[in-house]
Amino acid sequence: MQVRYFAWLRERVGTAAEEIEPGDAATAGDLVDALIARGERYALAFEDLSAVRVAVDQEMGDLDTPISGAREVAFFPPVTGG
Amino acid sequence: MQVRYFAWLRERVGTAAEEIEPGDAATAGDLVDALIARGERYALAFEDLSAVRVAVDQEMGDLDTPISGAREVAFFPPVTGG
Amino acid sequence: MDAPTSTTVSVQTEDFDISAEVERITSANREIGAVVTFTGLVREITGEGPITAMELEHYPGMTERSLREIVEQARTRWPLDAVRLVHRFGKLAPGDRIVLVIAASRHREAAFGAATFLMDYLKTRAPFWKKEHGVEGPVWVDARESDQQIAARWGRSGL
Amino acid sequence: MDAPTSTTVSVQTEDFDISAEVERITSANREIGAVVTFTGLVREITGEGPITAMELEHYPGMTERSLREIVEQARTRWPLDAVRLVHRFGKLAPGDRIVLVIAASRHREAAFGAATFLMDYLKTRAPFWKKEHGVEGPVWVDARESDQQIAARWGRSGL
């Protein structure tokens, strides 16, 4: 599964995208838990989950959104375009 | 006093502006009565007063607006600009 | 009220260019974050069928005065960096631009609010009259009752 | 829904020209009577002080998709003749144009309503992020809580 990061989440994690094996992560929130377990950078990126938004296969979701079968999950701060 | 007419009021009266001696007309409505007394064209122009708007010295008013001392009174249909 | 030099009202027969008008406003003020424009056009098909031309009559002197009053009303209601009103008169063809309203502010709420208000007031207060030339000859356009109702949402004003 | 060819979404680094974009829409459709545009600009002074540059990051693929969904939402709510969205990304300077929204319809209510809605939704749904370069170094812009509240007036949608 492709995991993508944007804005300060990208900067904290240190990469824009990476291939992650989701294991038994059923939701985006489960995936966050698995990522945090990978180390410091992830823990810092996800330290305030209220500031983290999720898209699953390029559709807005949240931490409860199922990710089984998803090709791409993205994490980013609240959007600030326009 | 300068009396001005616009749009179909102008067409019905047959002139865009004329000098009128207001006599004892105290309000725009009194002036309309005096104009109607001048003949057919005015009677036709003012036959439906609900469709007539008034400006006194270039400020929106209505038939009750006083005209004593006014330099210019204008009659026209509801505006349709924009 | 101190009206900045960027507040301008024009009543003219000439066409206008939206980009040029916006550029003139924004190049002078780098604090503007939001610009809303409204452009009104002559529609080819109206309720009465196709038209070949539209004539716009206005009340010189009172027109400019009422447009300036409308702008001042908007300035008391929203924090605006610039306002621009251009209204054409004379003979126009289908597709021609009739009116341009520009409202510029730091944030979009003021720019959208003011532009909407300016058009609502202009539609019901500015002394312009449209005559359409269609298949049945020239017809003076009736005022839309809905325009009065829409303008009423802003409350009574001293205009 | 049949989206007319005039519905177009662009995500680009290049600047845009408001007049040219409006002309492209109106020259193809003589039934349009009202065109509302919104232009968003990089402000020189923000809450944090003066900035020298702004970087816009986005989510390629999802961005275009979300903008198209926002346009379809607007089309179900208002009778629109045309909609156009242009959003830039990359490095911009104070005064630069960021975003353009155009809504065109027969009457102004739909054009104003749709343009306001499109900006409200774009501000809260489209995956763009702004980074400002100011005196204290680069800072990611915080989302405005007020934008969420404003967008809430349109109700929940499936976006």
Side-chain angles (χ1 to χ4, degrees), chain A residues 7 10-11 72 77 80 82, chain D residues 57 59 87 128-131 140:
Chain A
R10 171 179 53 71
E11 290 178 343
E72 187 172 300
T80 55
Chain D
E57 180 172 339
Y59 186 167
H87 205 303
F128 287 95
W129 300 274
K130 288 175 181 153
K131 191 182 203 173
W140 290 99

Side-chain angles (χ1 to χ4, degrees), chain C residues 48-143:
Chain C
E48 313 297 314
I51 67 163
T52 54
M54 172 179 280
E55 272 178 282
L56 265 150
E57 180 173 336
H58 79 112
Y59 185 168
M62 181 170 167
T63 309
E64 293 79 357
R65 181 183 190 140
S66 69
L67 294 181
R68 280 193 298 267
E69 284 174 349
I70 290 167
V71 169
E72 288 315 310
Q73 280 274 332
R75 286 190 169 281
T76 65
R77 290 168 182 253
W78 289 276
L80 299 172
D81 285 288
V83 178
R84 175 91 171 106
L85 291 188
V86 184
H87 205 302
R88 298 175 71 188
F89 65 95
K91 199 156 190 173
L92 301 175
D96 280 356
R97 284 172 279 270
I98 303 168
V99 61
L100 174 66
V101 164
I102 305 179
S105 187
R106 272 132 180 90
H107 298 291
R108 74 185 187 289
E109 297 89 336
F112 270 120
T116 307
F117 170 89
L118 288 162
M119 277 309 300
D120 287 352
Y121 263 44
L122 197 154
K123 283 266 183 188
T124 54
R125 312 291 181 105
F128 287 95
W129 300 274
K130 287 175 182 153
K131 190 182 204 174
E132 291 173 345
H133 294 257
V135 284
E136 315 219 342
V139 177
W140 289 99
V141 173
D142 278 329

